[in-house]
Amino acid sequence: MENIRLTSYDEVAEILRECDNVTILTHKSPDGDCIGAGMGLCLYLRSLGKHANVVNSDGFPDRYDFMTLDYQPEEFEEKFVISVDISDTSLLGDELESYADKIDLCIDHHGSNRFFAKKSYVDASSSAACLIIFELLTHMGADITLPIATNLYTGLATDTGCFKFQNTTPAAHIAAAKLMEMGVDFEHINRKMFDIKSRNRVLAEQRLISDMRFFEDGQIGFMTITNQAISDFHIDRSELDAFAQIPLTIEGVRFGYTLKQVENTFKVSLRTTDADAAAICGEFGGGGHLRAAGCTIEGKMREIYARILEVTRKYL
Amino acid sequence: MENIRLTSYDEVAEILRECDNVTILTHKSPDGDCIGAGMGLCLYLRSLGKHANVVNSDGFPDRYDFMTLDYQPEEFEEKFVISVDISDTSLLGDELESYADKIDLCIDHHGSNRFFAKKSYVDASSSAACLIIFELLTHMGADITLPIATNLYTGLATDTGCFKFQNTTPAAHIAAAKLMEMGVDFEHINRKMFDIKSRNRVLAEQRLISDMRFFEDGQIGFMTITNQAISDFHIDRSELDAFAQIPLTIEGVRFGYTLKQVENTFKVSLRTTDADAAAICGEFGGGGHLRAAGCTIEGKMREIYARILEVTRKYL
């Protein structure tokens, strides 16, 4: 069967109106955008009298508690499966692996999307999956309640670095304006998502920055988060996502790598100022966005540095 | 003579259309918002064929170089004086002191504005002086060039912490959307304003955070920047403004104080999560906004701590 690419909100809206008993899948290591998009969509479907749940392989991290306040899983016989913010079935994670060939509708904003679902709506120009959901619900004339708005704002803010990053669009600002008018407590959300750190985390960041390694006149920066550092500083693994932004904050760095030890492999995050991060990570079987991408590399740390350096030098 | 309070953009527009040979004053220790508003207004007045300059007591800090690229001071006989983003004549600084009773038009967004000018347009609900200028120019049907848009976006972004702080409004987001559409390089600006730090600055922040003092179960946090620290780490004084945000990033802190040594006095910046910062600083003769305010206190550090703590406890 041909996988169908949807190109309009009308087409997606029609599917959403018809579906019921929906399982919404978000990616493993869930972040603000996939949780926001999943929850926003789920709460909306429920408001139409439909049954819907949001699931992922790793559960919802504590720091996103405020997004799931109005959510309890329901019991129902699943009839329809939607994935949000998932570009590839490998991101389903172990618990949801069996869904790989059972996804009816994929809603995503990654240019690297592999069109694994029966039908896909992918808008790589959209700042966030939450922005797609916001525009879709607006298009459908939905009553966007405060819990829905809170979820959508959070995903939009977290995926754009609070409207700082290159992927921020005028449409993202306009959506933020409308979501704020619905009463979203953006000040609290942004403090929680971006500003507040435990003293432990501040100390951890200090150590990690001090230990950073730089190459090519400081244009390439590596921050390495070992299992030892994670346990020394009692860092919650869900907090680690934010660390990926750190290397690029050092003056002169154009390629900011974060290497995070996960058992015997390293999960690599790359942030760039002007190079194509998705292309670089693509050379290691990963992917992502133009300025933010990731991949997983096996091997010893020293070898991994060398392999990454070799590839990165082509993009200098 | 009665000082006149203007309440509409029409009234301000009429004045701007009629004035010429304009000196625009910004406050001492200039920041992104006053430079952006001053430059934006100046470049617009010049585009109408008028003469205009922007001045302040301390010059333009290097980090705002990209805002003043298209600006050269002109020679003319001054006939009209406008202040932007200045709430009180004490903020003119030494070099501009003599302007205190000569300001024809004040444009400001501080609730604490003292209406020192002949005519004042003050909108305390506006996120930034740059937002007022943007709305005013839009109202006047101005051709907002890229240099003007760059200035206005920068002020809007810096005064709202890139749309993170409580003073962010839907109008701020809508202005940002429009300014982005004019081609503002927001990614570069935001990186420069918010993210990039020299390694020296990172080291300085580490030391200052390590040395922070906390009171009342960590609700009150003090960060003290001594002359010694400034010279030890070769910190440019213009970089210090951003340090005021740091204390509030530590989990649990509701009153984040930064004490910056300036000769024998301390310039105190206060950021709050929920208390009235302007009221607290007002008790020391200072002022500002609801969540961001400042004052200057003379004395020894220990006494200053004690005085601030005594006042702050009333607001716990």
Side-chain angles (χ1 to χ4, degrees):
Chain A
M1 197 193 74
E2 187 75 33
N3 290 352
I4 298 169
R5 301 189 185 198
L6 309 173
T7 56
S8 75
Y9 285 140
D10 271 340
E11 294 168 289
V12 187
E14 196 187 330
I15 295 169
L16 293 183
R17 284 197 194 93
E18 286 174 9
C19 70
D20 202 351
N21 292 15
V22 183
T23 298
I24 301 169
L25 315 178
T26 72
H27 58 71
K28 65 182 181 181
S29 303
D31 61 11
D33 191 31
C34 75
I35 296 173
M39 284 291 159
L41 183 57
C42 176
L43 296 176
Y44 170 62
L45 291 175
R46 287 182 179 186
S47 77
L48 299 179
K50 299 175 189 290
H51 295 294
N53 280 334
V54 186
V55 297
N56 67 61
S57 271
D58 302 310
F60 300 108
D62 289 348
R63 71 188 299 258
Y64 301 110
D65 270 355
F66 66 97
M67 302 174 79
T68 55
L69 281 178
D70 293 82
Y71 174 79
Q72 287 292 335
E74 293 181 335
E75 293 278 337
F76 57 79
E77 190 188 339
E78 174 184 293
K79 291 182 187 160
F80 200 79
V81 179
I82 303 177
S83 68
V84 292
D85 200 36
I86 293 178
S87 59
D88 188 290
T89 52
S90 65
L91 297 169
L92 289 167
D94 294 343
E95 296 293 319
L96 302 184
E97 214 173 33
S98 61
Y99 277 106
D101 58 353
K102 297 190 185 91
I103 299 169
D104 297 295
L105 174 64
C106 159
I107 300 176
D108 188 27
H109 74 122
H110 292 85
S112 55
N113 189 285
R114 293 178 187 249
F115 295 93
F116 48 80
K118 290 172 194 152
K119 296 182 179 178
S120 299
Y121 182 86
V122 178
D123 180 0
S125 74
S126 191
S127 304
C130 278
L131 180 56
I132 297 177
I133 302 294
F134 171 77
E135 291 180 343
L136 182 62
L137 299 197
T138 303
H139 184 85
M140 294 176 75
D143 175 24
I144 298 181
T145 61
L146 184 54
I148 294 176
T150 297
N151 269 282
L152 298 181
Y153 179 89
T154 305
L156 184 55
T158 51
D159 248 35
T160 58
C162 212
F163 312 98
K164 248 186 342 197
F165 299 156
Q166 175 267 347
N167 67 342
T168 309
T169 56
H173 276 293
I174 287 166
K178 289 182 186 159
L179 291 165
M180 281 174 63
E181 279 167 355
M182 294 166 190
V184 170
D185 188 355
F186 63 93
E187 182 192 13
H188 174 80
I189 292 170
N190 291 330
R191 262 181 59 75
K192 190 170 169 72
M193 292 295 101
F194 299 108
D195 287 345
I196 304 179
K197 299 173 184 178
S198 62
R199 288 190 220 176
N200 260 338
R201 170 151 163 206
V202 173
L203 293 171
E205 289 188 11
Q206 288 183 15
R207 162 88 78 82
L208 294 172
I209 293 171
S210 301
D211 293 349
M212 272 183 70
R213 295 184 61 188
F214 299 92
F215 299 89
E216 300 293 334
D217 291 327
Q219 292 182 82
I220 305 174
F222 284 97
M223 190 172 76
T224 309
I225 308 173
T226 58
N227 286 330
Q228 188 63 46
I230 292 170
S231 73
D232 278 0
F233 291 107
H234 312 285
I235 314 168
D236 187 283
R237 281 201 173 256
S238 73
E239 278 202 297
L240 289 178
D241 287 339
F243 283 56
Q245 311 300 341
I246 295 175
L248 219 59
T249 65
I250 306 295
E251 200 165 24
V253 175
R254 291 174 56 215
F255 302 81
Y257 284 99
T258 310
L259 277 62
K260 192 164 63 180
Q261 198 169 10
V262 180
E263 287 158 19
N264 293 320
T265 67
F266 280 88
K267 197 183 156 197
V268 178
S269 296
L270 169 62
R271 299 291 182 271
T272 56
T273 56
D274 52 342
D276 186 342
I280 295 172
C281 290
E283 300 209 18
F284 297 101
H289 301 287
L290 198 59
R291 301 284 182 258
C295 56
T296 301
I297 310 183
E298 283 184 50
K300 288 186 183 160
M301 210 185 300
R302 185 174 298 275
E303 295 160 13
I304 293 174
Y305 278 150
R307 288 176 60 193
I308 293 176
L309 276 174
E310 190 188 338
V311 169
T312 309
R313 286 193 178 107
K314 295 190 291 180
Y315 293 83
L316 273 174
Chain B
M1 196 194 74
E2 188 75 33
N3 290 352
I4 296 169
R5 302 190 185 198
L6 309 173
T7 55
S8 75
Y9 286 139
D10 271 340
E11 293 169 290
V12 187
E14 197 186 330
I15 295 169
L16 293 182
R17 284 197 195 96
E18 287 174 7
C19 71
D20 202 351
N21 291 17
V22 183
T23 299
I24 300 170
L25 316 176
T26 71
H27 57 71
K28 64 182 181 182
S29 300
D31 60 11
D33 192 31
C34 76
I35 296 173
M39 283 293 156
L41 183 56
C42 176
L43 296 176
Y44 170 62
L45 292 174
R46 288 183 179 184
S47 77
L48 299 179
K50 300 174 187 288
H51 294 295
N53 280 335
V54 186
V55 297
N56 66 62
S57 271
D58 302 310
F60 300 109
D62 289 348
R63 72 187 299 258
Y64 301 111
D65 270 355
F66 66 98
M67 302 175 78
T68 56
L69 281 178
D70 294 82
Y71 174 79
Q72 288 291 335
E74 294 181 334
E75 293 278 336
F76 56 80
E77 191 189 336
E78 173 184 293
K79 289 182 187 161
F80 200 78
V81 179
I82 302 177
S83 69
V84 291
D85 199 38
I86 293 178
S87 59
D88 189 290
T89 51
S90 65
L91 298 170
L92 289 168
D94 293 345
E95 297 293 319
L96 302 183
E97 213 172 37
S98 62
Y99 277 106
D101 58 353
K102 296 189 186 90
I103 298 168
D104 297 295
L105 174 64
C106 158
I107 299 177
D108 187 29
H109 73 121
H110 292 86
S112 54
N113 189 285
R114 292 177 188 251
F115 295 94
F116 48 80
K118 289 172 194 152
K119 295 181 179 180
S120 299
Y121 182 85
V122 178
D123 179 0
S125 74
S126 192
S127 303
C130 279
L131 180 56
I132 297 177
I133 301 295
F134 171 77
E135 291 180 343
L136 180 62
L137 298 198
T138 303
H139 183 85
M140 293 175 75
D143 176 23
I144 299 182
T145 61
L146 185 53
I148 294 176
T150 297
N151 269 281
L152 298 182
Y153 179 91
T154 305
L156 184 55
T158 51
D159 248 35
T160 57
C162 211
F163 311 97
K164 246 185 344 195
F165 299 157
Q166 174 268 346
N167 67 341
T168 310
T169 57
H173 277 291
I174 288 165
K178 290 182 185 159
L179 291 165
M180 280 173 63
E181 280 165 357
M182 294 165 188
V184 171
D185 189 355
F186 62 93
E187 183 191 12
H188 174 80
I189 293 170
N190 290 331
R191 262 180 60 75
K192 192 170 167 73
M193 293 294 102
F194 299 107
D195 286 346
I196 303 179
K197 299 172 183 179
S198 62
R199 290 190 219 176
N200 259 338
R201 171 152 162 204
V202 173
L203 292 171
E205 288 189 10
Q206 289 183 14
R207 160 88 78 83
L208 294 171
I209 293 171
S210 301
D211 291 349
M212 273 183 69
R213 294 184 59 188
F214 299 92
F215 298 89
E216 300 291 336
D217 290 327
Q219 291 182 82
I220 306 174
F222 284 98
M223 191 172 76
T224 309
I225 308 173
T226 59
N227 286 330
Q228 188 63 45
I230 291 170
S231 73
D232 279 359
F233 292 105
H234 313 285
I235 313 168
D236 188 283
R237 281 199 173 260
S238 74
E239 279 203 295
L240 290 177
D241 287 339
F243 283 55
Q245 310 300 341
I246 295 175
L248 220 58
T249 65
I250 307 294
E251 199 165 25
V253 174
R254 292 174 55 214
F255 302 82
Y257 285 99
T258 310
L259 276 64
K260 191 165 60 182
Q261 198 169 12
V262 181
E263 287 158 19
N264 293 319
T265 68
F266 279 88
K267 197 183 156 197
V268 178
S269 295
L270 169 61
R271 299 291 182 272
T272 57
T273 55
D274 52 339
D276 186 342
I280 295 172
C281 289
E283 301 209 17
F284 297 100
H289 300 287
L290 198 57
R291 302 282 181 260
C295 57
T296 301
I297 309 183
E298 283 185 48
K300 290 186 181 155
M301 209 186 301
R302 185 174 298 276
E303 294 161 14
I304 293 174
Y305 279 150
R307 287 175 62 193
I308 292 176
L309 276 174
E310 190 188 338
V311 168
T312 309
R313 287 194 177 107
K314 296 190 290 179
Y315 292 82
L316 273 175

